[in-house]
Amino acid sequence: MKKTKLVIKPVKFLILSISLLSTMCCKKNIDTEVQNEGNRQIVKLSSDQINELKRLGFADSNVFDYGNYYLVEGDVLVSKKELESNISRFKQLTIVEQHKSPASITNSTQHNFTLYVDETIWGNYTWNAGLLSAVETWNSFYNSDVKLHLSYDSPQSANIIVKTDRNLSASEKLASNVAAVGAVPMGSTVGTIIIANDDFKPGGGSSLLSVSQATWNMIHEIGHTLGLQHTNWITVDGTVNPNNFILIPGTPNNNDGSSVMNGGTASYSCPNATCFSNYDQIAINYLFPLVPNSTLNALINGQSQIARSSQWTYTCSYRSVETGINYYWEVIGINGTNFYQNDYDPYPGAEISLPMGNYKIRCTISGGKYPTKVAEKTIVVN
């Protein structure tokens, strides 16, 4: 006799376990880090490469080799391949917070971006908690159309890979005083990778970073992948507006000491619930304004085939803590039998029994800034 036990735990995820029973059939410290890159070599760039970096808004000094990327300004990865392609296209694609370049990121799916969470991240409690909090923070802006989705199933279908440097080669590991790095968008809709330092200790101390510090750094690096530059870019770059960037209305010119996008802030913690300064919020809402009837491309993560005596976690890809948002879970048999409904309240959860067979797990997201979305996944219990 086999029994399937489904446990609903807190609102945005559920845990399904199958037990054998006999009852049922069935960052970036960029002011100093460039001096501390170990064996990594400073790259001598061509005049075209230098001009393109400047055109993209990046300093051309202290550029380090990092495999398929150049590491600039301490925590920004620039794809070598896309830099060369950009040179040939003579095209600028970067947005600079709290300035805007003449070009801006566009996306036909209305800013739905998927972040694949590598096992090195979810295996590191602090970085994982920081990533989850950072994604919720980005998604919770009332007037912003940024929609970040977390994926645990398929890196191939993700826009951004998020991992630590734990399993990287010695030449790829981040310097001890670099919290994290993020790739900027050039030929793609977003930068394609974020790498966190598995052993980062703020200020060179003996303690690893806190969850609040990890949140700050993840918000910062996600900002880079979305095309945001360092707010204090004049200080970092040492030049004055070389690219004719357009000042975003309502924000100061290189003078927001509270911005989460400032360089040299790897040891910072979030000072408030959002981590963003008032000017950050103005800039983000200006750059990514909420689109009427914007589509939320949410999905459910988790195994499709469930074996006996196993336990799996199912999560909704979209996480937000905006006021009024609700996540409603259901488990429905293929023949229409309703096996479970969750009205958002129970914790630690309720249990139901599922016989062997085919089911649909549904998560309905409602009450937030987007039209109601039903994410659905078919599973097989065998």
Side-chain angles (χ1 to χ4, degrees), residues 36 109 160 168 225 250 382:
N36 245 331
T109 58
I160 305 166
L168 299 183
T225 66
N382 52 33

Side-chain angles (χ1 to χ4, degrees), residues 84-121:
E84 296 303 318
S85 179
N86 237 30
I87 291 172
S88 66
R89 292 195 307 265
F90 201 69
K91 186 176 181 181
Q92 182 177 334
L93 298 176
T94 299
I95 294 171
V96 178
E97 189 198 2
Q98 294 158 353
H99 289 67
K100 176 184 180 297
S101 74
S104 61
I105 295 175
T106 59
N107 182 264
S108 60
T109 58
Q110 299 176 340
H111 303 110
N112 279 281
F113 302 116
T114 301
L115 291 76
Y116 174 73
V117 186
D118 184 80
E119 63 180 291
T120 57
I121 288 289

Side-chain angles (χ1 to χ4, degrees), residues 141-163:
F141 270 106
Y142 180 72
N143 289 318
S144 169
D145 200 54
V146 172
K147 298 183 283 291
L148 304 178
H149 301 272
L150 295 172
S151 170
Y152 300 89
D153 294 342
S154 175
Q156 289 77 21
S157 61
N159 301 107
I160 305 166
I161 305 296
V162 188
K163 63 182 180 179

Side-chain angles (χ1 to χ4, degrees), residues 4-151:
T4 302
K5 181 175 64 177
L6 189 70
V7 181
I8 306 299
K9 288 194 174 188
V11 296
K12 301 181 185 72
F13 67 91
L14 55 85
I15 296 176
L16 181 141
S17 62
I18 298 174
S19 54
L20 290 172
L21 299 177
S22 59
T23 58
M24 182 176 180
C25 226
C26 317
K27 181 162 87 352
K28 309 167 291 298
N29 202 348
I30 67 170
D31 294 329
T32 59
E33 70 190 354
V34 292
Q35 306 298 327
N36 245 331
E37 287 295 327
N39 295 324
R40 197 162 293 132
Q41 298 298 310
I42 292 180
V43 178
K44 185 175 181 179
L45 300 175
S46 68
S47 58
D48 283 345
Q49 290 170 324
I50 290 173
N51 289 337
E52 184 60 21
L53 280 179
K54 287 183 175 179
R55 189 159 51 245
L56 292 168
F58 299 112
D60 64 316
S61 59
N62 292 317
V63 177
F64 292 90
D65 183 71
Y66 194 81
N68 294 324
Y69 299 89
Y70 293 122
L71 178 61
V72 303
E73 296 186 4
D75 76 320
V76 178
L77 297 178
V78 177
S79 166
K80 293 177 180 178
K81 180 179 179 180
E82 291 187 351
L83 183 69
E84 296 303 318
S85 179
N86 237 30
I87 291 172
S88 66
R89 292 195 307 265
F90 201 69
K91 186 176 181 181
Q92 182 177 334
L93 298 176
T94 299
I95 294 171
V96 178
E97 189 198 2
Q98 294 158 353
H99 289 67
K100 176 184 180 297
S101 74
S104 61
I105 295 175
T106 59
N107 182 264
S108 60
T109 58
Q110 299 176 340
H111 303 110
N112 279 281
F113 302 116
T114 301
L115 291 76
Y116 174 73
V117 186
D118 184 80
E119 63 180 291
T120 57
I121 288 289
W122 54 257
N124 181 310
Y125 170 79
T126 303
W127 277 121
N128 187 58
L131 174 61
L132 297 184
S133 180
V135 166
E136 288 180 345
T137 299
W138 272 103
N139 285 340
S140 298
F141 270 106
Y142 180 72
N143 289 318
S144 169
D145 200 54
V146 172
K147 298 183 283 291
L148 304 178
H149 301 272
L150 295 172
S151 170

Side-chain angles (χ1 to χ4, degrees), residues 169-243:
S169 65
S171 63
E172 293 176 307
K173 285 188 179 296
L174 300 180
S176 61
N177 60 338
V178 178
V181 296
V184 292
M186 294 177 64
S188 56
T189 57
V190 288
T192 57
I193 193 167
I194 294 172
I195 303 174
N197 189 334
D198 209 44
D199 304 309
F200 178 68
K201 297 176 181 178
S206 58
S207 300
L208 297 175
L209 79 173
S210 67
V211 171
S212 183
Q213 289 170 321
T215 300
W216 175 279
N217 280 281
M218 280 296 179
I219 288 175
H220 182 105
E221 300 308 333
I222 289 172
H224 281 321
T225 66
L226 294 177
L228 304 183
Q229 244 282 29
H230 290 128
T231 301
N232 56 345
W233 61 276
I234 294 177
T235 303
V236 174
D237 196 331
T239 58
V240 180
N241 203 14
N243 304 311

